[in-house]
Amino acid sequence: MFPATERFCAECGMPLLPVEEASRESEARRWARKIDPAYAEGRLVRVAFANNQAEAELIQGLLLEEGIPSMLRRSGGFDVPDFLAAGPRDVLAPESGAAAARDLLQAADLSELAAGTGPQGDPPRLTLVIAVLAGGFATAVLAWLLLGA
C-alpha cells in the first residue's frame, strides 16, 4: 500500500489513485492504464481483419491485455448502416505495436486474422471488386443478348 501523499509509483511511474477514487474509476480509464506507452507511437496500421464487430472486439481485448492499444474501423466497401454491428472490420494499431500485435495474434492461432485477409485468403476489397466486375460483365452480356436478338 502506498502513502496517501504519493501520486506516482516509485517503481513504474504509473499514477496512483486514492482508494475511494479507484472504486469509481471509469471503464475507459481502466483500459487506458493497461496501455504500454512503448506500443502507442506512430501512425495507425492495419494488423488484423475481423468478420464482424464481436470478433473485432475480441481481438481488441487480446491486444489490450498485452498493452497494445488498438482501434476498430469498418472495412472499405462494406458499409451496412441498417446493421451497425454487421460487416467486416479492420483492427488498427500504432506502428510501434504492429509487429507485437501480429505476433500475439499468430501465437493465439489467429494467424488468418493477423495476415489481414478475409476467410478465403483474398483481401476483402479485391473480392468486392471482382464481384462487381463479374456482375457488370454478366449484365452487359444479358443486355447484348436481349437487344441484339
Side-chain angles (χ1 to χ4, degrees), residues 44-108:
L44 292 175
V45 294
R46 182 172 139 175
V47 294
F49 171 83
N51 291 313
N52 54 49
Q53 181 77 24
E55 192 175 275
E57 289 176 356
L58 172 74
I59 294 168
Q60 195 174 33
L62 286 171
L63 296 176
L64 184 62
E65 289 302 316
E66 293 298 318
I68 304 168
S70 62
M71 185 180 114
L72 304 179
R73 171 182 74 188
R74 286 178 183 253
S75 295
F78 291 95
D79 193 21
V80 185
D82 293 337
F83 303 102
L84 294 177
R89 301 286 193 274
D90 294 329
V91 180
L92 308 170
E95 284 180 325
S96 62
R102 289 185 183 108
D103 292 344
L104 172 67
L105 294 174
Q106 194 168 18

Side-chain angles (χ1 to χ4, degrees), residues 17-25:
L17 293 174
V19 176
E20 58 276 356
E21 280 188 43
S23 62
R24 296 180 293 157
E25 188 176 27

Side-chain angles (χ1 to χ4, degrees), residues 106-118:
Q106 194 168 18
D109 201 20
L110 297 173
S111 56
E112 179 181 278
L113 302 174
T117 60

Side-chain angles (χ1 to χ4, degrees), residues 3-28:
T5 57
E6 292 295 319
R7 296 189 58 210
F8 297 95
C9 175
E11 293 177 23
C12 67
M14 290 295 288
L16 300 175
L17 293 174
V19 176
E20 58 276 356
E21 280 188 43
S23 62
R24 296 180 293 157
E25 188 176 27
S26 71
E27 184 70 22

